[in-house]
Amino acid sequence: MAHIDVFNGDADGICALTQLHLAHPRDARLVTGVKRDIELLEQVTAGAGDTVTVLDVSLDKNRAALVKLLEAGADVFYVDHHFAGDIPQSPRLKAHINEAPDVCTSLLVNGELQNRFVAWAVVGAYGDNLRKSAETVAKPLALTPTQLGQLEDLGTYLNYNGYGERIEDLHFAPDALFRLVSRHESPFGFIADAREHFEKLADGYKTDMGKAESTKPIAGSTDDAALLVLPDEPWARRVSGVYSNDLVNLFPDRAHAVLTEKAGGGYLISVRAPLNRKKGADELCRQFPTGGGRAAAAGINHLPNDQLGAFTQAFTAQFARS
C-alpha cells in the first residue's frame, strides 16, 4: 500500500498538505513542481490499495490521468478550487471542489479538519491573495495585527517561492520547502525556529520586488486592464505572481496581466481580475492552449509571440467595464 501526495508547489498547496500531514502523519511519495506545473497526475502510477491525495491542481487539467488511476483501483482524495469541469463518478473518488472566488484549497482542507490547524489555513489564504477570507477565518485565534502580518508575510513568501519556469529558478524546491514547513504545528514555530529559511525567502522576495516595481504598463493597456512585461530573468519569473497580487491590491478596480519573456520566445503570463470584480481570469486564460486557473487569478504557461495581439485584445475586452 502506497500513499502519494500530489500538490501545487505554492503557498496554498503546501499549507493544505501541511494541515493534512499534521492531522494524519504518514510516509508518502511527494509529487509537485513549480506553481505552473499542474498536470501532475501524469507522474503518478497507483493501483488497488494505494491512496492518492491531490491538492490545489485543476481537475480539468488532470481528468484523463485521474480516470486512469480510478480505473486502476486507487482511492483518490481531491481538494481544489480551480475550474474542474466534469467530475468523474467513482466510489473511489472523494472530491471536495469549490470554485468560489473567496476560497482556496487550504481553507477547504481546514473545513475538512474542523479548524484543527487553522493558522496554516490562514497562511495559505494570504498566499492566494485572499486577505478578507484569511482575516475572517483567523478571528477565533484572536491574533494581534503584528501576528496577522507575520502570517500574511509567510503566505506571500511561500507563494513567491513557487513561481518560476523551472525548479532551478526557485529558492527552495517545493517538496523540500514542504518538508521544512510541515515539521511545525504552528506557522509561528516555523517563523521562529527556521529563521534562516524564513529570512532567505523574505530577502529574496524584497530584492525581486524592488526590481519589479519600476515596470510600467505597455501599449494596449487601459484604465480597466493593465499589461506589464518583465524580462527573461530568474528574478522576474519568481516575482511574476506575487507582483500581480501586489498590483491588484494597489489598484483594486483594474485587472492586471504580468507577462514574463521566455528564453525561447513567447511569454509566461499571470492574470489577476480586479480585486473588486473577482471573476473572468480563468475564462480569459482558458481561451489559450496552456491557460487555466480560477476566477480571480489565472495564467498561461506559454503564449507565442504572434498571439500577443490576440491576448491583449481578449484581456482588455474581458475586463472592460460597461
Side-chain angles (χ1 to χ4, degrees):
M1 179 177 179
H3 298 291
I4 304 167
D5 292 331
V6 182
F7 63 104
N8 197 314
D10 69 352
D12 194 23
I14 289 173
C15 292
L17 186 58
T18 292
Q19 292 175 78
L20 288 175
H21 271 246
L22 289 170
H24 309 292
R26 61 186 183 272
D27 292 326
R29 176 191 167 203
L30 302 180
V31 178
T32 187
V34 298
K35 180 178 174 66
R36 295 301 183 88
D37 188 1
I38 57 173
E39 295 178 358
L40 294 172
L41 283 188
E42 295 287 348
Q43 303 177 31
V44 177
T45 300
D50 297 332
T51 62
V52 182
T53 298
V54 190
L55 302 171
D56 199 37
V57 291
S58 168
L59 192 153
D60 185 57
K61 297 292 186 180
N62 289 275
R63 185 178 294 102
L66 173 60
V67 169
K68 185 177 178 180
L69 288 172
L70 295 170
E71 290 177 345
D75 292 308
V76 180
F77 178 49
Y78 207 121
V79 187
D80 187 43
H81 64 129
H82 299 90
F83 175 76
D86 294 332
I87 300 174
Q89 300 301 304
S90 170
R92 287 186 290 276
L93 173 64
K94 180 183 178 182
H96 187 168
I97 294 175
N98 184 339
E99 298 174 27
D102 58 348
V103 301
C104 63
T105 306
S106 291
L107 293 176
L108 296 175
V109 169
N110 179 63
E112 290 274 337
L113 298 178
Q114 299 181 328
N115 304 313
R116 285 183 64 185
F117 305 100
V118 66
W120 279 118
V122 173
V123 173
Y126 272 130
D128 257 15
N129 202 37
L130 299 176
R131 184 175 292 169
K132 289 183 179 179
S133 298
E135 292 172 353
T136 297
V137 78
K139 283 182 179 178
L141 299 176
L143 300 175
T144 66
T146 298
Q147 289 173 316
L148 274 176
Q150 288 179 309
L151 297 186
E152 182 172 14
D153 286 345
L154 179 57
T156 299
Y157 301 156
L158 293 177
N159 208 51
Y160 153 78
N161 184 77
Y163 282 90
E165 193 171 356
R166 59 190 73 89
I167 294 293
E168 291 74 20
D169 289 335
L170 312 183
H171 295 294
F172 296 91
D175 57 344
L177 188 55
F178 162 75
R179 290 187 178 97
L180 292 171
V181 162
S182 61
R183 298 172 186 171
H184 303 274
E185 187 167 323
S186 165
F188 297 110
F190 174 77
I191 293 169
D193 299 336
R195 196 68 195 176
E196 64 177 295
H197 304 310
F198 178 81
E199 290 182 352
K200 182 177 180 179
L201 291 170
D203 291 344
Y205 169 81
K206 292 170 184 175
T207 298
D208 290 351
M209 284 294 286
K211 295 176 181 177
E213 284 170 356
S214 62
T215 307
K216 304 297 182 185
I218 64 170
S221 299
T222 69
D223 290 340
D224 297 330
L227 300 96
L228 303 95
V229 178
L230 299 179
D232 173 29
E233 298 286 349
W235 71 263
R237 293 190 288 272
R238 286 193 298 265
V239 85
S240 61
V242 289
Y243 184 46
S244 303
N245 290 343
D246 197 52
L247 287 167
V248 82
N249 288 328
L250 288 170
F251 305 99
D253 292 316
R254 190 172 75 182
H256 296 85
V258 174
L259 293 75
T260 306
E261 296 173 339
K262 301 178 71 172
Y267 301 92
L268 177 77
I269 303 180
S270 290
V271 174
R272 297 294 182 270
L275 199 63
N276 293 333
R277 293 183 290 136
K278 294 195 290 186
K279 60 181 181 179
D282 55 342
E283 294 176 8
L284 168 73
C285 291
R286 288 202 309 273
Q287 296 176 36
F288 299 87
T290 61
R294 52 191 175 88
I300 299 171
N301 286 346
H302 179 73
L303 182 82
N305 292 77
D306 61 6
Q307 292 186 28
L308 177 58
F311 172 78
T312 300
Q313 184 176 13
F315 172 66
T316 53
Q318 180 75 44
F319 296 109
R321 283 176 285 193
S322 56

